Amino acid sequence: MSEMADRAVKAEDDIRADGYGPPGQSPRPTEVMAPDQRAELSNYGIVERYFGQAAERLDLREDIAAVLRSSYREVQVQIPVKLSDGKIHVFSGFRVQHNGARGPYKGGVRFHPEVDLDEVRALAELMTWKTAIVGIPYGGAKGGVNVDPHKLEPNELEAVARSFMDKVEKVLGPTRDIPAPDVGTNAQTMAWLMDEYGKLHGHTPACVTGKPIALEGSYGRASATGRGVVYMYREAAPQLDLTPSDTRFVVQGFGNVGSWAARIMQQLGARLVGASDASGAIRANTGLDAEELARHSAEGGRIADYEAEGVEHVGPVELLETDCEVFIPAALGGMIHKGNADRLRCRMVVEGANSPSTPVANDILADKGVVVVPDVMANAGGVVVSYFEWVQNLQHFRWDEREVNDRLGRIMRKAFREVSAKAREDGVSMRVAAYELGIERVVDAAATRGYIS
Ligand code: NAD
């Protein structure tokens, strides 16, 4: 490399290390997915393809499909925050409200360096179908900030969260749009968002869900998405003559959703034989202790540094190749794609993450006879318990955890029965059946309101 080119590269490194990036982008070095792991289609492309398949089967009018393909409102805001280096860093914040025919908009807020408008759009649309499929009275929304939470101090993250709320509060509120946690955000983030909203509107716990228990959060919310994933496994298992004691499972993305799914699967008697996070992956034929691994992660430990007897450190592709009955993707979108789907050695995939598999990957899995429980239904547990939290907040009343989990189970089982019955009747995959059901319900609500006619 010439001295000049060398200097240019060094200058670029300096820019990043220094904390300044191009406007609208996360300014610090980040842990992002390696290019060889990327899917052939964006998250938006994935959702659009599935929507298109279902719309065609439903013979949906073109003009109605055009309404449902686009968002009602898309907000992009500037989030300038002074970080501990004394400089102002400019992040971009997004809130997309896709469709509100069935109720107030609802959806998580993601803090991740790769967040952009297209991704948030895709996730917002997914929420519209998800809330309709499980039959809770919400529309679909999603938000995000292109920040890497792992690179910021807690006070810096708090500043990002508060600034985001200041910029988008006008389109939010308990009867308008209610955010919740997603990748990179948690109960603490929701507490900051609620507090900031309260400064402007008065104490309003129902303005966000996924809050800490101390701030009118709901029992069972933190574990809800993972628990919902396990309910789906239990419903689908008889199709494959599977019982928990003969189920080995792998969790890709041992975060909130993945670690709860793992712990609850383990409580049932299933064996965790592989897990990963952004730092790396591990396997153990004899079984990993999901509780211990969750403790390690909760204390800030990375999977790449986890050591225990029988644990083997492997690459992301080897994790996919782990022999198991159930594979649970619970990381980011597009992680099972054309280039790696045939590596999976499982009988069932329960999609904890949003859009974890591309349409081509789904075809490959179908050819291999793998049963896929799709994201739009499988990971709805979080929004269902968010709904319970909102209901409790509006009444200033609290249910105990058993009541929350029982109600969650009833809703998830009902959704599974309805979707699998439709899939059987129409001879389609559970995903196509789920999208059809969701679209029909949204069109019905929008038409009855007079929003479309
Ligand atoms: P999280 O931030 O708690 O966990 C994400 C995990 O994925 C982390 O452990 C992270 O290290 C890991 N990860 C990131 N990149 C990875 C990679 N390349 N390989 C392996 N692991 C990687 O987020 P979460 O809330 O658990 O969300 C996970 C997924 O579930 C997302 O797709 C999210 O949209 C979806 N989801 C979450 C909820 C919820 O209630 N939190 C609800 C529905 C759907």
Side-chain angles (χ1 to χ4, degrees):
M1 194 187 288
S2 73
E3 201 186 319
M4 215 155 90
D6 202 15
R7 263 208 310 273
V9 169
K10 166 115 186 30
E12 185 143 343
D13 285 348
D14 285 347
I15 288 171
R16 286 157 193 253
D18 177 48
Y20 276 123
Q25 278 183 23
S26 180
R28 295 189 174 194
T30 52
E31 250 183 337
V32 291
M33 219 186 290
D36 62 344
Q37 289 176 44
R38 281 182 202 280
E40 64 280 6
L41 206 57
S42 69
N43 286 1
Y44 188 67
I46 294 173
V47 176
E48 274 312 292
R49 188 73 61 83
Y50 291 140
F51 171 81
Q53 279 174 6
E56 199 180 312
R57 284 192 46 84
L58 289 171
D59 213 6
L60 198 65
R61 262 174 37 203
E62 263 307 307
D63 53 341
I64 293 180
V67 174
L68 299 179
R69 270 206 178 91
S70 49
S71 322
Y72 173 75
R73 183 188 273 139
E74 299 183 342
V75 182
Q76 177 168 352
V77 296
Q78 179 193 56
I79 305 184
V81 175
K82 189 174 267 188
L83 299 185
S84 52
D85 60 4
K87 294 174 186 163
I88 297 169
H89 297 253
V90 183
F91 300 96
S92 294
F94 307 91
R95 187 71 185 171
V96 173
Q97 297 170 336
H98 174 256
N99 184 289
R102 299 184 60 265
Y105 299 98
K106 185 91 189 81
V109 175
R110 178 174 288 198
F111 282 3
H112 190 274
E114 293 197 341
V115 160
D116 61 21
L117 188 54
D118 252 24
E119 181 177 62
V120 179
R121 233 180 231 150
L123 292 164
E125 180 176 336
L126 212 49
M127 287 303 292
T128 299
W129 314 133
K130 198 180 294 183
T131 51
I133 290 160
V134 292
I136 56 174
Y138 286 133
K142 202 78 179 191
V145 179
N146 64 348
V147 62
D148 188 343
H150 304 293
K151 307 285 181 210
L152 298 195
E153 299 300 325
N155 64 322
E156 296 174 323
L157 260 186
E158 178 176 353
V160 171
R162 288 186 185 278
S163 177
F164 177 62
M165 177 53 91
D166 289 343
K167 309 295 175 343
V168 296
E169 54 84 22
K170 284 188 183 58
V171 299
L172 303 183
T175 60
R176 289 181 184 280
D177 181 356
I178 306 123
D182 190 72
V183 174
T185 58
N186 56 23
Q188 174 61 76
T189 325
M190 296 305 112
W192 292 325
L193 293 181
M194 181 196 79
D195 186 70
E196 198 60 24
Y197 187 88
K199 286 181 187 168
L200 300 156
H201 302 272
H203 180 56
T204 318
C207 74
V208 290
T209 58
K211 300 181 292 295
I213 295 297
L215 291 173
E216 296 190 55
S218 176
Y219 290 116
R221 173 61 184 88
S223 57
T225 309
R227 190 175 299 280
V229 164
V230 180
Y231 283 130
M232 293 291 99
Y233 152 75
R234 292 182 79 167
E235 291 304 302
Q239 285 179 26
L240 298 173
D241 279 332
L242 272 183
T243 60
S245 58
D246 52 38
T247 298
R248 294 163 302 169
F249 67 102
V250 168
V251 171
Q252 179 192 52
F254 203 78
N256 172 291
V257 176
S259 70
W260 277 109
R263 279 174 276 181
I264 299 166
M265 287 288 283
Q266 183 169 288
Q267 281 163 18
L268 287 183
R271 179 161 33 119
L272 176 65
V273 291
S276 67
D277 66 9
S279 73
I282 48 174
R283 281 200 307 211
N285 257 338
T286 49
L288 295 156
D289 183 343
E291 290 289 346
E292 199 187 297
L293 195 56
R295 258 194 307 279
H296 171 79
S297 295
E299 287 161 5
R302 301 172 342 137
I303 282 199
D305 304 325
Y306 184 75
E307 298 295 345
E309 211 186 310
V311 168
E312 179 195 1
H313 287 264
V314 296
V317 175
E318 287 166 292
L319 184 81
L320 296 178
E321 290 172 340
T322 307
D323 274 322
C324 62
E325 280 65 46
V326 179
F327 188 89
I328 302 176
L332 302 173
M335 295 198 54
I336 305 174
H337 50 75
K338 191 163 105 181
N340 65 17
D342 67 343
R343 306 287 188 114
L344 281 172
R345 292 203 207 147
C346 60
R347 300 177 63 200
M348 185 194 299
V349 171
V350 189
E351 295 188 338
N354 283 312
S355 302
S357 59
T358 64
V360 176
N362 267 258
D363 291 345
I364 295 171
L365 294 175
D367 285 348
K368 284 161 70 102
V370 175
V371 171
V372 177
V373 188
D375 54 357
V376 269
M377 169 170 68
N379 69 30
V383 71
V384 170
V385 177
S386 273
Y387 163 57
F388 297 160
E389 182 174 331
W390 179 73
V391 166
Q392 293 169 80
N393 292 160
L394 293 174
Q395 299 173 73
H396 297 284
F397 188 75
R398 184 168 262 171
W399 306 346
D400 62 26
E401 184 159 358
R402 172 171 292 208
E403 178 159 10
V404 170
N405 293 344
D406 286 352
R407 284 177 183 270
L408 170 64
R410 285 205 287 280
I411 290 183
M412 296 300 288
R413 281 192 289 273
K414 180 165 178 276
F416 185 91
R417 277 199 302 273
E418 288 176 347
V419 167
S420 50
K422 193 169 178 62
R424 261 196 315 277
E425 273 162 33
D426 297 359
V428 293
S429 67
M430 275 198 273
R431 187 180 323 268
V432 172
Y435 267 76
E436 284 184 28
L437 210 63
I439 294 169
E440 279 173 337
R441 289 176 180 169
V442 172
V443 169
D444 185 23
T448 312
R449 265 177 194 270
Y451 189 67
I452 52 172
S453 58

